[in-house]
Structures are given as C-alpha cells and as structure tokens.
PDB file of all heavy atoms in Angstrom:
ATOM      1  N   LEU M   1      -0.506  -0.828   5.357  1.00 98.00           N
ATOM      2  CA  LEU M   1       0.949  -0.802   5.360  1.00 98.00           C
ATOM      3  C   LEU M   1       1.508  -0.948   6.771  1.00 98.00           C
ATOM      4  O   LEU M   1       2.513  -1.646   6.993  1.00 98.00           O
ATOM      5  CB  LEU M   1       1.445   0.509   4.747  1.00 98.00           C
ATOM      6  CG  LEU M   1       1.143   0.723   3.265  1.00 98.00           C
ATOM      7  CD1 LEU M   1       1.531   2.139   2.856  1.00 98.00           C
ATOM      8  CD2 LEU M   1       1.866  -0.297   2.402  1.00 98.00           C
ATOM      9  N   THR M   2       0.853  -0.310   7.724  1.00 98.00           N
ATOM     10  CA  THR M   2       1.307  -0.400   9.111  1.00 98.00           C
ATOM     11  C   THR M   2       1.220  -1.831   9.625  1.00 98.00           C
ATOM     12  O   THR M   2       2.115  -2.308  10.340  1.00 98.00           O
ATOM     13  CB  THR M   2       0.487   0.547   9.999  1.00 98.00           C
ATOM     14  OG1 THR M   2       0.671   1.896   9.547  1.00 98.00           O
ATOM     15  CG2 THR M   2       0.910   0.439  11.458  1.00 98.00           C
ATOM     16  N   ALA M   3       0.164  -2.533   9.257  1.00 98.00           N
ATOM     17  CA  ALA M   3       0.023  -3.932   9.672  1.00 98.00           C
ATOM     18  C   ALA M   3       1.171  -4.773   9.130  1.00 98.00           C
ATOM     19  O   ALA M   3       1.706  -5.648   9.837  1.00 98.00           O
ATOM     20  CB  ALA M   3      -1.318  -4.481   9.205  1.00 98.00           C
ATOM     21  N   VAL M   4       1.570  -4.532   7.895  1.00 98.00           N
ATOM     22  CA  VAL M   4       2.705  -5.259   7.320  1.00 98.00           C
ATOM     23  C   VAL M   4       3.986  -4.920   8.068  1.00 98.00           C
ATOM     24  O   VAL M   4       4.771  -5.808   8.432  1.00 98.00           O
ATOM     25  CB  VAL M   4       2.872  -4.926   5.821  1.00 98.00           C
ATOM     26  CG1 VAL M   4       4.133  -5.582   5.268  1.00 98.00           C
ATOM     27  CG2 VAL M   4       1.655  -5.381   5.031  1.00 98.00           C
ATOM     28  N   LYS M   5       4.204  -3.637   8.317  1.00 98.00           N
ATOM     29  CA  LYS M   5       5.443  -3.215   8.970  1.00 98.00           C
ATOM     30  C   LYS M   5       5.545  -3.763  10.391  1.00 98.00           C
ATOM     31  O   LYS M   5       6.626  -4.189  10.824  1.00 98.00           O
ATOM     32  CB  LYS M   5       5.549  -1.694   8.989  1.00 98.00           C
ATOM     33  CG  LYS M   5       6.885  -1.196   9.537  1.00 98.00           C
ATOM     34  CD  LYS M   5       7.012   0.305   9.451  1.00 98.00           C
ATOM     35  CE  LYS M   5       8.417   0.751   9.848  1.00 98.00           C
ATOM     36  NZ  LYS M   5       8.754   0.402  11.246  1.00 98.00           N
ATOM     37  N   VAL M   6       4.445  -3.747  11.121  1.00 98.00           N
ATOM     38  CA  VAL M   6       4.471  -4.264  12.496  1.00 98.00           C
ATOM     39  C   VAL M   6       4.879  -5.739  12.488  1.00 98.00           C
ATOM     40  O   VAL M   6       5.720  -6.169  13.293  1.00 98.00           O
ATOM     41  CB  VAL M   6       3.094  -4.076  13.167  1.00 98.00           C
ATOM     42  CG1 VAL M   6       3.003  -4.884  14.458  1.00 98.00           C
ATOM     43  CG2 VAL M   6       2.851  -2.599  13.459  1.00 98.00           C
ATOM     44  N   TRP M   7       4.290  -6.515  11.594  1.00 98.00           N
ATOM     45  CA  TRP M   7       4.650  -7.940  11.524  1.00 98.00           C
ATOM     46  C   TRP M   7       6.107  -8.105  11.093  1.00 98.00           C
ATOM     47  O   TRP M   7       6.849  -8.920  11.658  1.00 98.00           O
ATOM     48  CB  TRP M   7       3.727  -8.679  10.567  1.00 98.00           C
ATOM     49  CG  TRP M   7       3.977 -10.162  10.582  1.00 98.00           C
ATOM     50  CD1 TRP M   7       3.398 -11.090  11.396  1.00 98.00           C
ATOM     51  CD2 TRP M   7       4.907 -10.882   9.755  1.00 98.00           C
ATOM     52  NE1 TRP M   7       3.901 -12.343  11.138  1.00 98.00           N
ATOM     53  CE2 TRP M   7       4.833 -12.243  10.131  1.00 98.00           C
ATOM     54  CE3 TRP M   7       5.790 -10.514   8.747  1.00 98.00           C
ATOM     55  CZ2 TRP M   7       5.608 -13.239   9.531  1.00 98.00           C
ATOM     56  CZ3 TRP M   7       6.570 -11.488   8.144  1.00 98.00           C
ATOM     57  CH2 TRP M   7       6.473 -12.828   8.529  1.00 98.00           C
ATOM     58  N   SER M   8       6.515  -7.343  10.095  1.00 98.00           N
ATOM     59  CA  SER M   8       7.881  -7.446   9.588  1.00 98.00           C
ATOM     60  C   SER M   8       8.901  -7.096  10.664  1.00 98.00           C
ATOM     61  O   SER M   8       9.924  -7.778  10.825  1.00 98.00           O
ATOM     62  CB  SER M   8       8.060  -6.530   8.377  1.00 98.00           C
ATOM     63  OG  SER M   8       9.373  -6.588   7.869  1.00 98.00           O
ATOM     64  N   ASP M   9       8.628  -6.045  11.432  1.00 97.00           N
ATOM     65  CA  ASP M   9       9.546  -5.635  12.493  1.00 97.00           C
ATOM     66  C   ASP M   9       9.681  -6.702  13.578  1.00 97.00           C
ATOM     67  O   ASP M   9      10.713  -6.793  14.243  1.00 97.00           O
ATOM     68  CB  ASP M   9       9.069  -4.328  13.132  1.00 97.00           C
ATOM     69  CG  ASP M   9       9.268  -3.124  12.220  1.00 97.00           C
ATOM     70  OD1 ASP M   9      10.001  -3.251  11.215  1.00 97.00           O
ATOM     71  OD2 ASP M   9       8.686  -2.057  12.512  1.00 97.00           O
ATOM     72  N   ALA M  10       8.640  -7.504  13.755  1.00 97.00           N
ATOM     73  CA  ALA M  10       8.669  -8.560  14.765  1.00 97.00           C
ATOM     74  C   ALA M  10       9.234  -9.873  14.224  1.00 97.00           C
ATOM     75  O   ALA M  10       9.473 -10.804  14.992  1.00 97.00           O
ATOM     76  CB  ALA M  10       7.261  -8.802  15.309  1.00 97.00           C
ATOM     77  N   ASN M  11       9.450  -9.936  12.908  1.00 96.00           N
ATOM     78  CA  ASN M  11       9.920 -11.170  12.268  1.00 96.00           C
ATOM     79  C   ASN M  11      11.001 -10.809  11.253  1.00 96.00           C
ATOM     80  O   ASN M  11      10.830 -10.955  10.051  1.00 96.00           O
ATOM     81  CB  ASN M  11       8.757 -11.888  11.578  1.00 96.00           C
ATOM     82  CG  ASN M  11       7.688 -12.342  12.546  1.00 96.00           C
ATOM     83  OD1 ASN M  11       7.731 -13.440  13.071  1.00 96.00           O
ATOM     84  ND2 ASN M  11       6.699 -11.480  12.790  1.00 96.00           N
ATOM     85  N   THR M  12      12.133 -10.355  11.767  1.00 95.00           N
ATOM     86  CA  THR M  12      13.119  -9.664  10.928  1.00 95.00           C
ATOM     87  C   THR M  12      13.870 -10.570   9.968  1.00 95.00           C
ATOM     88  O   THR M  12      14.598 -10.069   9.110  1.00 95.00           O
ATOM     89  CB  THR M  12      14.135  -8.928  11.814  1.00 95.00           C
ATOM     90  OG1 THR M  12      14.735  -9.875  12.718  1.00 95.00           O
ATOM     91  CG2 THR M  12      13.455  -7.819  12.608  1.00 95.00           C
ATOM     92  N   THR M  13      13.733 -11.888  10.095  1.00 95.00           N
ATOM     93  CA  THR M  13      14.444 -12.778   9.176  1.00 95.00           C
ATOM     94  C   THR M  13      13.577 -13.248   8.014  1.00 95.00           C
ATOM     95  O   THR M  13      14.018 -14.068   7.207  1.00 95.00           O
ATOM     96  CB  THR M  13      14.975 -14.013   9.924  1.00 95.00           C
ATOM     97  OG1 THR M  13      13.873 -14.724  10.492  1.00 95.00           O
ATOM     98  CG2 THR M  13      15.946 -13.612  11.018  1.00 95.00           C
ATOM     99  N   HIS M  14      12.348 -12.752   7.923  1.00 97.00           N
ATOM    100  CA  HIS M  14      11.461 -13.246   6.868  1.00 97.00           C
ATOM    101  C   HIS M  14      12.006 -12.908   5.487  1.00 97.00           C
ATOM    102  O   HIS M  14      12.680 -11.891   5.286  1.00 97.00           O
ATOM    103  CB  HIS M  14      10.047 -12.668   7.042  1.00 97.00           C
ATOM    104  CG  HIS M  14       9.935 -11.193   6.744  1.00 97.00           C
ATOM    105  ND1 HIS M  14       9.830 -10.683   5.469  1.00 97.00           N
ATOM    106  CD2 HIS M  14       9.889 -10.114   7.571  1.00 97.00           C
ATOM    107  CE1 HIS M  14       9.731  -9.363   5.506  1.00 97.00           C
ATOM    108  NE2 HIS M  14       9.768  -8.990   6.767  1.00 97.00           N
ATOM    109  N   ILE M  15      11.704 -13.766   4.520  1.00 97.00           N
ATOM    110  CA  ILE M  15      12.048 -13.429   3.145  1.00 97.00           C
ATOM    111  C   ILE M  15      11.176 -12.246   2.721  1.00 97.00           C
ATOM    112  O   ILE M  15      10.113 -12.013   3.293  1.00 97.00           O
ATOM    113  CB  ILE M  15      11.856 -14.625   2.194  1.00 97.00           C
ATOM    114  CG1 ILE M  15      10.395 -15.079   2.183  1.00 97.00           C
ATOM    115  CG2 ILE M  15      12.790 -15.767   2.548  1.00 97.00           C
ATOM    116  CD1 ILE M  15      10.096 -16.029   1.055  1.00 97.00           C
ATOM    117  N   PRO M  16      11.614 -11.475   1.731  1.00 98.00           N
ATOM    118  CA  PRO M  16      10.866 -10.260   1.395  1.00 98.00           C
ATOM    119  C   PRO M  16       9.434 -10.554   0.974  1.00 98.00           C
ATOM    120  O   PRO M  16       9.157 -11.538   0.290  1.00 98.00           O
ATOM    121  CB  PRO M  16      11.682  -9.639   0.257  1.00 98.00           C
ATOM    122  CG  PRO M  16      12.524 -10.744  -0.261  1.00 98.00           C
ATOM    123  CD  PRO M  16      12.811 -11.642   0.883  1.00 98.00           C
ATOM    124  N   ILE M  17       8.548  -9.688   1.399  1.00 98.00           N
ATOM    125  CA  ILE M  17       7.129  -9.780   1.055  1.00 98.00           C
ATOM    126  C   ILE M  17       6.857  -8.833  -0.104  1.00 98.00           C
ATOM    127  O   ILE M  17       7.218  -7.649  -0.060  1.00 98.00           O
ATOM    128  CB  ILE M  17       6.251  -9.414   2.268  1.00 98.00           C
ATOM    129  CG1 ILE M  17       6.455 -10.429   3.392  1.00 98.00           C
ATOM    130  CG2 ILE M  17       4.779  -9.331   1.869  1.00 98.00           C
ATOM    131  CD1 ILE M  17       5.839 -10.014   4.709  1.00 98.00           C
ATOM    132  N   PHE M  18       6.240  -9.359  -1.143  1.00 98.00           N
ATOM    133  CA  PHE M  18       5.890  -8.541  -2.304  1.00 98.00           C
ATOM    134  C   PHE M  18       4.451  -8.068  -2.151  1.00 98.00           C
ATOM    135  O   PHE M  18       3.538  -8.870  -1.929  1.00 98.00           O
ATOM    136  CB  PHE M  18       6.044  -9.355  -3.584  1.00 98.00           C
ATOM    137  CG  PHE M  18       5.824  -8.559  -4.838  1.00 98.00           C
ATOM    138  CD1 PHE M  18       6.690  -7.537  -5.189  1.00 98.00           C
ATOM    139  CD2 PHE M  18       4.759  -8.843  -5.685  1.00 98.00           C
ATOM    140  CE1 PHE M  18       6.498  -6.806  -6.360  1.00 98.00           C
ATOM    141  CE2 PHE M  18       4.561  -8.128  -6.858  1.00 98.00           C
ATOM    142  CZ  PHE M  18       5.437  -7.098  -7.193  1.00 98.00           C
ATOM    143  N   ILE M  19       4.240  -6.764  -2.278  1.00 98.00           N
ATOM    144  CA  ILE M  19       2.932  -6.150  -2.074  1.00 98.00           C
ATOM    145  C   ILE M  19       2.471  -5.538  -3.383  1.00 98.00           C
ATOM    146  O   ILE M  19       3.047  -4.568  -3.877  1.00 98.00           O
ATOM    147  CB  ILE M  19       2.999  -5.082  -0.970  1.00 98.00           C
ATOM    148  CG1 ILE M  19       3.517  -5.701   0.344  1.00 98.00           C
ATOM    149  CG2 ILE M  19       1.621  -4.435  -0.763  1.00 98.00           C
ATOM    150  CD1 ILE M  19       3.860  -4.688   1.412  1.00 98.00           C
ATOM    151  N   LEU M  20       1.435  -6.115  -3.942  1.00 98.00           N
ATOM    152  CA  LEU M  20       0.874  -5.646  -5.199  1.00 98.00           C
ATOM    153  C   LEU M  20      -0.219  -4.629  -4.887  1.00 98.00           C
ATOM    154  O   LEU M  20      -1.126  -4.914  -4.100  1.00 98.00           O
ATOM    155  CB  LEU M  20       0.308  -6.827  -5.984  1.00 98.00           C
ATOM    156  CG  LEU M  20      -0.022  -6.644  -7.456  1.00 98.00           C
ATOM    157  CD1 LEU M  20       1.223  -6.219  -8.238  1.00 98.00           C
ATOM    158  CD2 LEU M  20      -0.579  -7.948  -8.024  1.00 98.00           C
ATOM    159  N   VAL M  21      -0.132  -3.456  -5.479  1.00 98.00           N
ATOM    160  CA  VAL M  21      -1.079  -2.374  -5.219  1.00 98.00           C
ATOM    161  C   VAL M  21      -1.853  -2.079  -6.494  1.00 98.00           C
ATOM    162  O   VAL M  21      -1.264  -1.809  -7.548  1.00 98.00           O
ATOM    163  CB  VAL M  21      -0.346  -1.097  -4.748  1.00 98.00           C
ATOM    164  CG1 VAL M  21      -1.355   0.017  -4.472  1.00 98.00           C
ATOM    165  CG2 VAL M  21       0.492  -1.382  -3.512  1.00 98.00           C
ATOM    166  N   GLU M  22      -3.185  -2.124  -6.392  1.00 98.00           N
ATOM    167  CA  GLU M  22      -4.022  -1.771  -7.537  1.00 98.00           C
ATOM    168  C   GLU M  22      -4.721  -0.443  -7.277  1.00 98.00           C
ATOM    169  O   GLU M  22      -5.421  -0.281  -6.272  1.00 98.00           O
ATOM    170  CB  GLU M  22      -5.072  -2.837  -7.840  1.00 98.00           C
ATOM    171  CG  GLU M  22      -5.929  -2.477  -9.048  1.00 98.00           C
ATOM    172  CD  GLU M  22      -6.912  -3.545  -9.464  1.00 98.00           C
ATOM    173  OE1 GLU M  22      -6.943  -4.607  -8.808  1.00 98.00           O
ATOM    174  OE2 GLU M  22      -7.653  -3.323 -10.442  1.00 98.00           O
ATOM    175  N   ALA M  23      -4.519   0.501  -8.177  1.00 98.00           N
ATOM    176  CA  ALA M  23      -5.217   1.781  -8.119  1.00 98.00           C
ATOM    177  C   ALA M  23      -6.581   1.595  -8.783  1.00 98.00           C
ATOM    178  O   ALA M  23      -6.675   1.458  -9.998  1.00 98.00           O
ATOM    179  CB  ALA M  23      -4.403   2.858  -8.832  1.00 98.00           C
ATOM    180  N   LYS M  24      -7.639   1.598  -7.984  1.00 98.00           N
ATOM    181  CA  LYS M  24      -8.964   1.252  -8.494  1.00 98.00           C
ATOM    182  C   LYS M  24      -9.810   2.499  -8.764  1.00 98.00           C
ATOM    183  O   LYS M  24      -9.764   3.476  -8.009  1.00 98.00           O
ATOM    184  CB  LYS M  24      -9.694   0.330  -7.508  1.00 98.00           C
ATOM    185  CG  LYS M  24      -9.011  -1.020  -7.337  1.00 98.00           C
ATOM    186  CD  LYS M  24      -9.944  -2.072  -6.777  1.00 98.00           C
ATOM    187  CE  LYS M  24     -10.974  -2.493  -7.795  1.00 98.00           C
ATOM    188  NZ  LYS M  24     -11.775  -3.665  -7.316  1.00 98.00           N
ATOM    189  N   GLU M  25     -10.592   2.404  -9.827  1.00 96.00           N
ATOM    190  CA  GLU M  25     -11.453   3.512 -10.227  1.00 96.00           C
ATOM    191  C   GLU M  25     -12.888   3.067 -10.464  1.00 96.00           C
ATOM    192  O   GLU M  25     -13.746   3.877 -10.795  1.00 96.00           O
ATOM    193  CB  GLU M  25     -10.912   4.151 -11.514  1.00 96.00           C
ATOM    194  CG  GLU M  25      -9.493   4.677 -11.397  1.00 96.00           C
ATOM    195  CD  GLU M  25      -8.966   5.235 -12.711  1.00 96.00           C
ATOM    196  OE1 GLU M  25      -9.388   4.731 -13.789  1.00 96.00           O
ATOM    197  OE2 GLU M  25      -8.158   6.177 -12.661  1.00 96.00           O
ATOM    198  N   GLY M  26     -13.165   1.780 -10.313  1.00 92.00           N
ATOM    199  CA  GLY M  26     -14.473   1.254 -10.676  1.00 92.00           C
ATOM    200  C   GLY M  26     -15.458   1.210  -9.522  1.00 92.00           C
ATOM    201  O   GLY M  26     -15.078   1.111  -8.355  1.00 92.00           O
TER     202      GLY M  26
END
C-alpha cells in the first residue's frame, strides 16, 4: 500500500487506480 501511495503522491493527476485484494487461505 505504501508503494502505491508514494507513487500516487508524486503523480497527483493520475486517474484512479483500482486495487483488488484477495484474502488467501490456501
């Protein structure tokens, strides 16, 4: 998440990034 935020903060005009999260148990 921090890696995404650092990039986003440096590129403030980007279109929204969708982050798909999978809760894994296998």
Side-chain angles (χ1 to χ4, degrees):
L1 294 172
T2 299
V4 175
K5 186 176 187 298
V6 167
W7 186 89
S8 179
D9 288 346
N11 297 270
T12 56
T13 60
H14 70 81
I15 61 167
I17 296 169
F18 185 66
I19 303 169
L20 195 59
V21 180
E22 181 175 0
K24 296 200 71 172
E25 301 177 329

